[in-house]
Structure formats: C-alpha cells, structure tokens
Amino acid sequence: MTVPVSGAVVVGYDASEPSKIAVEWAAADADRRGVDLVVVHAARRLKGRDDAGGDEGADAIAEEGAERARERVPGLTVHAVARKQGPAAALQELSADAAVVVVGHRGRGRLAAGLVGSVAFTISAHAQCPVLVIRGNSEHLPGPDRPVVVGTDDSEFAAQAVAGAARLAASTDARLIIAAAWDVPEANPWSAAYLANVNATEDAAHAAETEAVATVERAREAVLAEHPGLTVEVGTQRGRPEHVLADASEGAGVLVVGSRGHSDLVGLLLGSVSRAVLHTANCPVAVIR
C-alpha cells in the first residue's frame, strides 16, 4: 500500500509503554502542525502478541497504536502501517518525506522503539528529517509552562537546531532557552608550565566563558531577527555539555540539539553529547539536522 507520509508525523509503535507515550506525544504534535499521523509497527518478522507470527497480528498492533492516537486527539487523521523490515530501516525510509519521526526512548522485542544505542540512536543519526525521542510522559509538551531548551556551540548544525527550536517555541507559545557549556582542560599541577604561570587556567576559563556568552548572545540575536515577539532566555554554565543540557532540560517541554557540532566550544557531536542526552534528559529530545 502507498503510505501517505509526505509532511506527516511518523511514529514507531510496538505496544510497549514508552511507545504508547510516543504515540500520544506524536498525535498532539501532528494536531499542532495540522498534518496526518502515521503509526508504524515494523519488525523483520511481523508478529502478533502471541508470537505466532503473521501479518494479521502486526496489523492489529499498528492499528492499536493508531486508535490510541485517535483517542488522544479526536478528529486527527491517523494511518496504521505494518512493515516487514527492521524498525530502524523502516523509519529511516519513511523519514525521507516525513515532517518528523517520533520514537520512544525504549521498546521491546525486535522493534525496541527508541532503545538508545539501537533504534533511537540509529534514527537520530541517519534520518532525513528531525527526530524526537520521547522521554518522560506525554504531558511534557512545549507550551507556556514548559520551555523549549536548545544547546548551541556556534556550529552550522547548532544554528539549525536553534532555528528549529525557535520555530517550535513560537508555534507553541513557549519560551526559548538557549544554553551553552564551556570548560577548559585541567592543568597538571606538577608541570613546569603550571608552576611558571598559576593563572593560566583561570585565564583560559575566563576566555572560554566569554566565548560561550558571546555564542548564546549571537544565537539570541539571530532568533529575535526571525521571531521578534518570542521570549528568549540565554544561559551558560561550566561543565560537560551533556550534563549542562540535562540539567537545563528539567521542567522543559523539549530539549533540542544539533546532529553534529565542533570542538571549539565543547561540540554537540552525535555519538557523544547528543547520544548522552538521549539517555539523561528529563524531557523529550529533538535532534535537528
């Protein structure tokens, strides 16, 4: 069958609790965007709950997810799709035309919808559209009481993440919080260089903090040029970026990161920082490319 994916929200579903939450979050997101929702159950061997095999059971699981979405958002156009292929491959294929792909942070069986290190990590790294990995519960949506938080390191990919986060904040009446982490290598107290200049580390820390402040201010100016009415807050903190962003995600509706970064300001490189926050964030994580 032809799947009406173009511009739709696509969500992976395997009947696990995290995938149920992902479907509800995706339904609300599709409603906000005014687009269709496509609920996908995928496994190389399609199975029903009794593991007896067969397409019928897989179709039923996909339809169950679709019905959950319809209950969450009555009137939403929802399509149920079962695919006889690996879940990462299925979602990656559908991402070519989707507005966003949504997965839970964990799953079960072959789908493992969003198990960090497998499906969620693979989709976050290779999808052709933004990816949302849902952590927490479905009530954690961006809005007036739950800001959108985005990390930046002044890279091209971070700029794309900031722009995407700003659009999301503007469309949900949420505040936008732009955060940057900074740090300096620890000096060896026994080295000759350290003994010769005990202020070297302090000077480097001051320079790193100054650059971080300049980075978030540049990002704020860029956002306000496009969204003059948006409430934008900025903050910097010393520490590893994954720790800083995880802390900033507390109480947020979504944490946004870029798919790549650079090391000039402790880069947001998928596989390190982005992968780390998929594990530790206190809210859904959006990976923007």
Side-chain angles (χ1 to χ4, degrees):
M1 64 179 274
T2 301
V3 182
V5 174
S6 181
V9 173
V10 173
V11 58
Y13 183 75
D14 68 350
S16 66
E17 287 304 314
S19 74
K20 292 176 182 179
I21 294 171
V23 162
E24 294 180 359
W25 208 103
D29 191 44
D31 184 51
R32 176 186 64 80
R33 295 171 185 264
V35 300
D36 292 1
L37 176 66
V38 178
V39 179
V40 181
H41 175 70
R44 289 186 179 88
R45 292 179 60 196
L46 296 180
K47 296 183 179 182
R49 282 192 182 79
D50 60 0
D51 286 338
D55 293 355
E56 183 177 345
D59 289 338
I61 294 175
E63 182 56 38
E64 175 192 283
E67 186 58 32
R68 176 175 290 272
R70 296 184 188 106
E71 291 175 359
R72 173 64 188 266
V73 183
L76 181 67
T77 300
V78 184
H79 309 275
V81 175
R83 285 291 189 91
K84 191 178 295 185
Q85 63 185 130
L91 294 174
Q92 183 177 341
E93 179 181 315
L94 294 172
S95 75
D97 297 311
V100 62
V101 170
V102 183
V103 292
H105 76 286
R106 293 191 184 283
R108 69 182 180 187
R110 288 186 178 272
L111 178 61
L115 178 62
V116 175
S118 60
V119 175
F121 177 60
T122 300
I123 292 301
S124 298
H126 300 293
Q128 299 178 58
C129 67
V131 174
L132 271 164
V133 178
I134 306 303
R135 299 185 59 85
N137 62 56
S138 58
E139 296 177 356
H140 289 182
L141 294 167
D145 298 326
R146 289 194 173 274
V148 174
V149 177
V150 60
T152 183
D153 63 359
D154 221 12
S155 68
E156 175 186 351
F157 293 96
Q160 294 172 359
V162 170
R167 290 192 295 269
L168 178 58
S171 67
T172 56
D173 296 323
R175 292 175 293 128
L176 177 65
I177 300 176
I178 304 173
W182 59 273
D183 210 344
V184 293
E186 293 186 7
N188 179 357
W190 301 108
S191 71
Y194 179 87
L195 295 175
N197 184 4
V198 294
N199 294 321
T201 300
E202 292 183 8
D203 291 344
H206 177 72
E209 182 179 15
T210 298
E211 176 57 25
V213 170
T215 293
V216 294
E217 289 296 341
R218 284 191 293 269
R220 172 159 58 181
E221 291 176 4
V223 167
L224 291 177
E226 294 293 326
H227 306 276
L230 189 64
T231 299
V232 183
E233 302 172 8
V234 298
T236 65
Q237 182 178 322
R238 183 170 186 172
R240 294 187 59 82
E242 60 267 33
H243 299 157
V244 171
L245 294 179
D247 289 345
S249 72
E250 185 68 41
V254 65
L255 170 63
V256 182
V257 293
S259 60
R260 294 287 189 274
H262 59 60
S263 59
D264 291 346
L265 187 64
V266 193
L268 303 175
L269 180 64
L270 191 70
S272 57
V273 175
S274 296
R275 182 173 182 174
V277 298
L278 292 178
H279 284 281
T280 61
N282 297 294
C283 67
V285 177
V287 180
I288 303 292
R289 55 181 38 76

